[in-house]
Amino acid sequence: MAHSPARTWFLRHRSTLLLWTILASTFLLTYATYVRWYRMFYPDSRYYLAMAYLFLGNDPETARQLTVDYAGPRNIDVPPVEDLFGWGLVQPRVVLPTLSAPFIALFGPAGLAVIPLLATAALMVIAVIMLRRRFGTLVALLIGLLLNTSMFLVSIGTGMLTEGLSALFTAVALLLAWRWLEKPRPWMLIAIGAVTVLSAFTRQATLIMAGAFIAAWVIGSLIERRNSRMMLPAIIVGAATIGCQVLQSLIFPSFSQLDQFLMQAGASSLGEALLNVPRMAFDIVRADVVTMLRGDRSLLVLICLAVAGMIIFWRRVESHLLLGAIAATAIYNITNGTPTQFRYATPGLIFWLLAAGMLVSATVTWVQRSRTNPTGLPGARDDSDPVALESEVSGEADHRSQPGDGPQPADNTSTTRRAAEPSP
């Protein structure tokens, strides 16, 4: 019996429709909960709102007063004009206020929440697409659910802050880099550099992006025993990051990361502060874990999956990206000296999602094969051969061809080469 075109289309795409229906529903539910019971305007938001009013043509005093009118009822003090527009830490963060200005003109101060909402929704879509093409629909659904049910990730991404937009730019840069590896085109490298610059003037967190890309290049080169194809994207991201940092320090010299580090370490010299780094790192990790145990176990599960995946599948490019991101985030967080409940790591969220997906994918493959393998071991054909075992767990399952994946590596039988090969 022939089906109608509509029914045929539905049957062909029902898994995709189910995936996006579930993820959209959970995202909207968490976002609605956040809007209803949590705050969206944070102390840092006052700077972005005032800057947006300034970009709309108001003089500094008027921009400050409009910000006071909105921040006052929310028990957030607004500093004097010279501090409001002169603090070097936030002065370079012009992208969010610029993009938000039209929405603030239309909807008032609440318009500052529009761009973060759109950015976080776009990040979720990009991450799920990358996870699905890399690991399949089930893995994309499971990781997407962890992302969407994390109250912290949804709130910090959709609140009136820069983290959501910064995380989106990192994901876009990685997507462009992987597409360039599949089909090199000069405009993609230019786009990667442009996205890095936009990210740098959204939030000074491009060190995370640069750390991830450079780690993928260096470690991938060591594993492949030849120069990794991630070289050009890594150099472009690294150069753009350093260039923006230097430019910002020249234009906005009123903030010093070194002074911030010394103050948080309670030290009078750099050497004394460095001796306090282990204590500071332990205090930050302990405080963040306790907070997540109490209020956001979805995020803690995501972090644990990602770290475990990074360690187990250490040959894979997802592991290299996450390792570089963790190292850069540690520098970024420790020099600021305060627990942030993953907030400082949010710009590199895409790397955590991919590493977690890698482990979940291997687990799903193991469960599926245990149905027909009496021992339940992924490498039962030759458990003594670690290369065969890794090929079973991370190679065949993770590199099955997907529509739109493009050509596969010619030396697809090499576990070492495949382990360092990025997904499209």
Side-chain angles (χ1 to χ4, degrees):
M1 176 177 162
H3 297 301
S4 66
R7 180 173 175 78
T8 301
W9 182 90
F10 174 79
L11 292 174
R12 183 180 302 170
H13 298 90
R14 57 186 173 183
S15 63
T16 300
L17 291 172
L18 181 61
L19 169 69
W20 290 112
T21 299
I22 294 174
L23 293 180
S25 300
T26 52
F27 178 81
L28 291 174
L29 177 61
T30 307
Y31 181 70
T33 302
Y34 168 56
V35 173
R36 175 63 180 84
W37 283 291
Y38 296 84
R39 67 175 181 177
M40 301 185 71
F41 192 82
Y42 299 84
D44 281 1
S45 305
R46 57 191 169 176
Y47 298 100
Y48 311 137
L49 181 59
M51 202 180 299
Y53 277 128
L54 196 66
F55 294 162
L56 285 171
N58 297 285
D59 61 82
E61 287 290 349
T62 302
R64 179 186 180 276
Q65 187 55 51
L66 291 170
T67 304
V68 169
D69 294 342
Y70 189 73
R74 290 160 178 80
N75 298 317
I76 294 178
D77 295 329
V78 179
V81 169
E82 57 271 17
D83 294 327
L84 185 62
F85 297 107
W87 188 26
L89 178 61
V90 296
Q91 275 184 307
R93 301 179 185 179
V94 298
V95 174
L96 176 62
T98 301
L99 296 176
S100 298
F103 298 102
I104 292 173
L106 288 172
F107 307 118
L112 187 59
V114 173
I115 292 298
L117 171 60
L118 296 177
T120 302
L123 170 66
M124 188 267 288
V125 171
I126 291 175
V128 169
I129 290 173
M130 295 174 76
L131 286 163
R132 191 183 186 198
R133 289 182 175 178
R134 183 65 165 167
F135 306 119
T137 299
L138 178 58
V139 174
L141 175 62
L142 294 175
I143 300 301
L145 285 174
L146 286 177
L147 171 63
N148 289 348
T149 57
S150 169
M151 181 59 70
F152 179 79
L153 290 178
V154 172
S155 64
I156 207 65
T158 60
M160 298 177 181
L161 295 168
T162 55
E163 277 79 4
L165 193 56
S166 179
L168 174 62
F169 285 142
T170 303
V172 171
L174 180 61
L175 183 62
L176 286 169
W178 279 358
R179 286 303 182 191
W180 181 83
L181 293 178
E182 180 185 354
K183 186 178 294 186
R185 294 178 181 174
W187 71 264
M188 292 184 180
L189 295 177
I190 296 173
I192 291 171
V195 169
T196 306
V197 172
L198 284 173
S199 181
F201 282 90
T202 299
R203 183 173 187 84
Q204 297 96 316
T206 47
L207 176 63
I208 296 173
M209 189 193 307
F213 275 59
I214 291 172
W217 166 33
V218 174
I219 301 175
S221 296
L222 293 174
I223 288 178
E224 297 176 31
R225 298 181 182 179
R226 58 178 174 180
N227 197 24
S228 169
R229 295 187 298 148
M230 279 292 290
M231 181 184 72
L232 285 181
I235 289 175
I236 288 172
V237 170
T241 295
I242 294 173
C244 288
Q245 290 283 352
V246 172
L247 179 62
Q248 290 171 1
S249 66
L250 294 175
I251 299 176
F252 312 111
S254 60
F255 178 78
S256 169
Q257 192 69 48
L258 177 60
D259 291 343
Q260 174 78 2
F261 178 42
L262 295 176
M263 179 181 67
Q264 294 295 336
S268 57
S269 66
L270 179 59
E272 184 183 351
L274 290 174
L275 292 176
N276 288 331
V277 165
R279 174 188 59 80
M280 295 172 67
F282 177 77
D283 289 344
I284 289 172
V285 171
R286 180 182 61 183
D288 285 351
V289 169
V290 169
T291 301
M292 292 175 200
L293 281 171
R294 290 175 176 174
D296 198 339
R297 285 171 287 277
S298 291
L299 177 56
L300 189 58
V301 169
L302 176 64
I303 292 172
C304 291
L305 289 174
V307 172
M310 178 186 70
I311 295 172
I312 294 171
F313 302 107
W314 58 272
R315 295 172 181 261
R316 296 285 295 270
V317 69
E318 294 91 342
S319 299
H320 311 156
L321 289 166
L322 180 57
L323 179 62
I326 289 175
T329 302
I331 296 172
Y332 185 35
N333 202 349
I334 291 173
T335 54
N336 280 278
T338 56
T340 64
Q341 296 82 51
F342 201 73
R343 179 182 172 187
Y344 281 0
T346 305
L349 179 58
I350 188 64
F351 307 125
W352 295 86
L353 297 173
L354 289 169
M358 180 171 57
L359 180 62
V360 173
S361 175
T363 304
V364 170
T365 301
W366 173 64
V367 170
Q368 290 173 341
R369 295 187 179 185
S370 67
R371 296 175 181 176
T372 56
N373 183 348
T375 67
L377 295 175
R381 287 181 300 185
D382 186 1
D383 291 344
S384 63
D385 184 357
V387 174
L389 178 61
E390 179 168 344
S391 178
E392 283 282 344
V393 175
S394 65
E396 295 174 12
D398 296 344
H399 284 269
R400 58 188 181 277
S401 178
Q402 296 285 344
D405 275 1
Q408 299 298 308
D411 48 346
N412 196 41
T413 58
S414 168
T415 302
T416 300
R417 172 60 181 159
R418 181 170 59 242
E421 190 72 31
S423 69

